[in-house]
Amino acid sequence: MWLGRCLREMVGFWVVCVCLVLIVNGVKDASEEDDQLQPYRTAFHFQPLKNWMNDPNGPMYFNGVYHLFYQYNPYGPLWGNISWGHSISYDLINWFLLQPVLEPNQPNYDINGCLSGSITILNGSKPIILYTGQDLNKSQVQNIAFPTNLSDPFLRNWIKWSGNPFLTPGNDIKPTQFRDPSTAWMGVDGKWRIVIGSEIDGHGTALLYSSTDGINWTRSEKPLHFSSKTGMWECPDFYPVGNGGKRGFDTSEQGNNTMYVLKASYNNREYYVIGNYDEKTDRFGVVGNDFMVSNTEFQYDYGRFYASKSFYDNAKQRRVIWGWVNEGDSESDAVKKGWSGLQSFPRSVWLSDTGKQLVQWPVDEIEKLRTKQVNITNRELKGGTLEITRITASQADVEVSFSLSNLNKAELIDSETVDPQLLCAQKNASVSGIFGPFGLLVLASNNFTEQTAVFFRVFKGPNKFLVLMCSDQSRSSIAEEVDKSIYGAFLDLDPHHKISLRTLIDHSIVESFGGEGVACMTARVYPKLATNKEAKLYVFNNGTETISISTLNAWSMNKAQIVPMA
Ligand SMILES: *[C@@H]1O[C@H](CO)[C@@H](O)[C@H](O)[C@H]1NC(C)=O
Ligand SMILES: *[C@@H]1O[C@H](CO)[C@@H](O)[C@H](O)[C@H]1NC(C)=O
Ligand SMILES: *[C@@H]1O[C@H](CO)[C@@H](O)[C@H](O)[C@H]1NC(C)=O
Ligand SMILES: *[C@@H]1O[C@H](CO)[C@@H](O)[C@H](O)[C@H]1NC(C)=O
Ligand SMILES: *[C@@H]1O[C@H](CO)[C@@H](O)[C@H](O)[C@H]1NC(C)=O
Ligand SMILES: *[C@@H]1O[C@H](CO)[C@@H](O)[C@H](O)[C@H]1NC(C)=O
Ligand SMILES: *[C@@H]1O[C@H](CO)[C@@H](O)[C@H](O)[C@H]1NC(C)=O
Ligand SMILES: *[C@@H]1O[C@H](CO)[C@@H](O)[C@H](O)[C@H]1NC(C)=O
Ligand SMILES: *[C@@H]1O[C@H](CO)[C@@H](O)[C@H](O)[C@H]1NC(C)=O
Ligand SMILES: *[C@@H]1O[C@H](CO)[C@@H](O)[C@H](O)[C@H]1NC(C)=O
């Protein structure tokens, strides 16, 4: 409109010049203007241009291309019309947005939503989608889709199988509790297997199915696993991990000393167990803690992260995991923003050296986006804050490690089974201790009215030291109505060694990795003051003991290219 008026009114050469100058300036400021209008859009976390997104679906690497599908509403910023959105990438950083591949239009099997599912590359060359559809009666059934043209490098078009649905819930399963088929794996007998999330007699269950051709599936008498302590399991994932080293494995690969991970989504969190799997009998035996048996069970992420899905990246022989990071603001905010939902930054996942838990770390490709760097080595921090200047604090990758001495002075804690999230809430960043709180203050406004504190505390328990990690959103925003949860977890590490923290700061998401990735914590925040150039970054120590910053490296991050494919 502005341009039109300008052109209409131009009467001579000088006016044209003025118009051109204004246009050039307008272009230059466009992205800054977008940042002002949309302070919560992210720069390097995946999100579509607009609308609703939830679970990641069917991620894969195929013929040199990464594919990410996702639960997507093409028509609005709230859940509905659930389709499979589709994007492709060569590096897991920059993405081309394509047309949705599955839309809800079949009364007999998916008219009420093309829900979550997975991709299996059959025989190494033929990808197929297995997904859950909700039929006209809102019964959940399982369906298949195939790419229409395997010569298309982007697999833009998929066709639903004429025989859909290939599975309907059995008599012992409620029609609304039968969803999210996993990627298949092939056993020594040459048969494919999948698990599907369900609940039987009130117990969270991973139903097991097998097939010789990937199409005709038969339910096994016994589920792969179930838990009498949880309800419905969503989005089960089952995959091998090596015993030592970061290498990942294809679901069908039978390595030496291979352990297996079973992940189930419930209670808004991602829980996993590690165990042995006997390929011949399909028996999965948990080693260590089973689901909900004690409060020391493991979660992929102790913050806002759900319905994740992993895939094997054959190009780099690693397993990569994506998770949905939902919003902590209201539906009316989603309508105002025009969008809702992010994906976590893709993470490599492997079994820790202890063999007891997983380690996750942002994929290395993230380093492509790093620009300006600042670093600090061996700096003592008595108390208070140290500002990290000269980088874009609203869009940054920060790695810091701390070293502590005189640990015998640590606060005593009388139980090793206290709930870490509760402890973080009782002892938030404002509550001074001996060792801690110390860590990062991110997205802070000039006078700390707003701040998100990601920090540690060290305690001496009856038998060992405890390292607590917290992400405290209680002061993240002056807005009243947004979620301000505080998250917490204990890290399995010895505080005599360095305690490290890596935090990806991206406008409205703060994704943290403690102890080199033994615990992850993702938060969504909606600062009103600490947006864009107003945001500041600090290291802080609110404990009475002096700590030392061994190293700190922080980078400004470039924006990833996430654009529609021409
Ligand atoms: C679903 O799509 C239709 C248009 O096809 C639209 O009218 C409706 O509002 C959409 N529902 C939601 C919840 O977005
Ligand atoms: C929906 O329910 C009706 C009535 O029970 C039944 O006749 C119909 O076959 C069902 N439709 C589907 C797609 O299962
Ligand atoms: C399949 O994809 C290839 C590569 O994009 C293209 O050349 C070919 O025309 C496509 N075939 C059909 C039937 O669309
Ligand atoms: C995969 O190979 C098996 C046997 O090698 C065959 O029975 C099956 O039909 C093949 N599947 C596909 C999708 O080509
Ligand atoms: C599907 O597999 C089962 C078990 O292997 C078999 O009994 C049945 O005949 C197969 N159905 C079709 C249509 O191939
Ligand atoms: C398993 O170990 C044997 C003997 O060390 C080795 O030859 C083989 O390659 C290993 N297999 C895998 C899948 O690592
Ligand atoms: C510290 O940062 C500078 C750039 O500011 C970089 O050249 C240097 O390599 C960094 N040092 C370390 C140890 O990372
Ligand atoms: C932090 O904890 C203290 C002590 O429990 C409490 O008084 C204070 O209100 C908390 N701060 C916030 C921002 O919740
Ligand atoms: C440190 O503690 C003081 C006193 O409780 C509080 O005012 C301040 O906000 C705290 N710092 C941080 C980073 O929370
Ligand atoms: C902090 O800054 C904000 C905005 O810059 C201002 O409204 C507020 O009064 C300040 N608070 C204090 C305690 O200085």
Side-chain angles (χ1 to χ4, degrees):
M1 246 155 73
W2 175 90
L3 185 59
R5 203 165 60 225
C6 185
L7 290 172
R8 269 200 312 277
E9 285 174 6
M10 72 182 170
V11 286
F13 174 77
W14 291 108
V15 178
V16 173
C17 277
V18 169
C19 278
L20 283 177
V21 167
L22 287 174
I23 288 167
V24 169
N25 281 339
V27 168
K28 211 162 64 190
D29 291 339
S31 110
E32 222 163 86
E33 235 167 71
D34 288 352
D35 288 348
Q36 297 302 329
L37 290 170
Q38 286 275 1
Y40 307 128
R41 275 194 78 81
T42 56
F44 58 94
H45 282 80
F46 178 82
Q47 59 181 141
L49 296 183
K50 58 178 184 177
N51 297 332
W52 169 272
M53 173 174 70
N54 56 300
D55 311 359
N57 291 146
M60 73 166 163
Y61 177 76
F62 184 67
N63 285 348
V65 177
Y66 292 101
H67 294 255
L68 177 65
F69 303 86
Y70 36 90
Q71 294 283 285
Y72 181 59
N73 180 354
Y75 306 104
L78 303 178
W79 192 91
N81 291 308
I82 288 298
S83 305
W84 274 43
H86 183 202
S87 293
I88 62 105
S89 171
Y90 294 103
D91 59 7
L92 291 171
I93 303 287
N94 301 296
W95 293 88
F96 288 111
L97 303 160
L98 303 172
Q99 290 305 308
V101 295
L102 301 175
E103 292 189 279
N105 51 22
Q106 298 298 315
N108 288 335
Y109 63 85
D110 72 10
I111 187 96
N112 279 307
C114 297
L115 306 188
S116 284
S118 304
I119 284 186
T120 302
I121 304 174
L122 292 180
N123 298 356
S125 60
K126 292 181 180 162
I128 72 166
I129 287 175
L130 302 186
Y131 73 99
T132 301
Q134 287 198 123
D135 71 14
L136 202 55
N137 298 335
K138 301 215 168 145
S139 245
Q140 293 170 356
V141 297
Q142 313 310 324
N143 306 314
I144 294 177
F146 306 99
T148 55
N149 182 0
L150 279 173
S151 309
D152 171 5
F154 306 134
L155 304 178
R156 272 172 279 217
N157 296 302
W158 293 67
I159 185 167
K160 295 171 187 173
W161 183 43
S162 57
N164 283 341
F166 72 90
L167 285 176
T168 52
N171 291 333
D172 55 342
I173 297 169
K174 288 201 189 112
T176 53
Q177 294 181 330
F178 183 54
R179 57 183 179 269
D180 311 333
S182 72
T183 294
W185 68 96
M186 187 179 270
V188 279
D189 57 4
K191 281 191 186 171
W192 292 101
R193 274 105 169 133
I194 52 169
V195 283
I196 295 179
S198 190
E199 179 185 304
I200 293 182
D201 298 335
H203 303 164
T205 301
L207 300 168
L208 181 66
Y209 290 80
S210 67
S211 168
T212 49
D213 58 4
I215 296 189
N216 175 21
W217 294 87
T218 309
R219 182 166 154 193
S220 300
E221 209 178 305
K222 285 189 181 150
L224 183 72
H225 199 55
F226 71 95
S227 168
S228 56
K229 299 193 156 56
T230 79
M232 171 76 195
W233 286 359
E234 296 190 285
C235 303
D237 201 3
F238 186 64
Y239 56 87
V241 281
N243 208 344
K246 299 181 180 178
R247 181 175 165 333
F249 295 83
D250 182 81
T251 42
S252 300
E253 200 167 330
Q254 293 135 22
N256 298 322
N257 306 315
T258 300
M259 302 293 285
Y260 279 77
V261 174
L262 174 64
K263 184 273 295 186
S265 308
Y266 52 86
N267 295 351
N268 290 320
R269 291 287 177 90
E270 298 283 284
Y271 296 91
Y272 69 85
V273 294
I274 293 165
N276 296 304
Y277 170 59
D278 182 336
E279 307 245 357
K280 294 199 185 72
T281 60
D282 278 329
R283 206 188 147 279
F284 175 66
V286 173
V287 175
N289 285 326
D290 208 337
F291 292 106
M292 301 307 263
V293 167
S294 79
N295 76 339
T296 55
E297 62 191 343
F298 293 114
Q299 300 178 26
Y300 275 170
D301 192 296
Y302 297 85
R304 206 175 263 280
F305 182 97
Y306 194 67
S308 71
K309 182 92 39 196
S310 73
F311 74 102
Y312 175 63
D313 175 1
N314 185 38
K316 301 211 165 164
Q317 304 198 326
R318 60 186 171 182
R319 182 157 288 274
V320 176
I321 174 175
W322 290 96
W324 170 40
V325 182
N326 72 352
E327 301 295 319
D329 63 358
S330 65
E331 286 200 348
S332 63
D333 291 326
V335 171
K336 261 184 246 156
K337 297 193 306 241
W339 58 272
S340 181
L342 301 176
Q343 298 299 330
S344 65
F345 198 81
R347 307 168 177 178
S348 291
V349 58
W350 65 88
L351 191 64
S352 76
D353 291 339
T354 66
K356 284 191 264 174
Q357 70 164 109
L358 297 175
V359 180
Q360 296 166 78
W361 201 243
V363 297
D364 295 342
E365 286 88 336
I366 195 173
E367 292 172 20
K368 285 188 182 188
L369 293 174
R370 289 172 169 174
T371 59
K372 189 159 188 163
Q373 181 184 12
V374 296
N375 46 41
I376 293 172
T377 45
N378 297 327
R379 175 87 59 94
E380 286 208 329
L381 194 59
K382 284 205 167 62
T385 56
L386 171 67
E387 187 173 0
I388 309 301
T389 54
R390 292 179 289 124
I391 61 160
T392 53
S394 60
Q395 199 171 300
D397 181 358
V398 187
E399 293 191 63
V400 58
S401 68
F402 299 98
S403 58
L404 277 43
S405 45
N406 304 323
L407 275 166
N408 56 338
K409 291 189 189 163
E411 276 163 83
L412 297 177
I413 192 166
D414 53 16
S415 161
E416 284 166 9
T417 58
V418 44
D419 179 338
Q421 178 156 355
L422 218 54
L423 194 53
C424 288
Q426 284 159 355
K427 292 176 182 282
N428 61 43
S430 310
V431 179
S432 182
I434 298 174
F435 287 103
F438 62 86
L440 296 173
L441 274 188
V442 310
L443 297 170
S445 62
N446 62 347
N447 55 19
F448 301 105
T449 306
E450 291 181 333
Q451 61 174 51
T452 296
V454 188
F455 64 85
F456 300 105
R457 289 176 189 273
V458 177
F459 300 98
K460 199 151 63 174
N463 301 307
K464 59 177 184 187
F465 286 102
L466 292 172
V467 179
L468 181 70
M469 174 177 169
C470 308
S471 187
D472 176 357
Q473 285 69 243
S474 62
R475 292 167 61 180
S476 294
S477 177
I478 56 170
E480 298 279 322
E481 71 281 9
V482 300
D483 179 67
K484 296 181 184 177
S485 299
I486 298 178
Y487 305 127
F490 286 116
L491 307 193
D492 183 19
L493 59 85
D494 177 354
H496 292 93
H497 300 137
K498 291 187 176 68
I499 300 177
S500 79
L501 174 64
R502 179 168 183 192
T503 296
L504 307 180
I505 306 159
D506 194 2
H507 299 272
S508 66
I509 181 169
V510 178
E511 192 172 356
S512 299
F513 300 80
E516 307 284 318
V518 295
C520 309
M521 233 169 254
T522 301
R524 292 299 305 281
V525 296
Y526 304 89
K528 292 271 193 194
L529 308 170
T531 58
N532 301 315
K533 286 179 178 161
E534 303 305 318
K536 291 168 182 280
L537 171 67
Y538 299 85
V539 186
F540 82 102
N541 178 16
N542 236 353
T544 54
E545 275 298 305
T546 297
I547 55 157
S548 173
I549 302 168
S550 300
T551 57
L552 177 141
N553 284 293
W555 292 266
S556 292
M557 296 294 273
N558 275 331
K559 200 171 160 66
Q561 297 297 311
I562 301 177
V563 294
M565 181 158 270

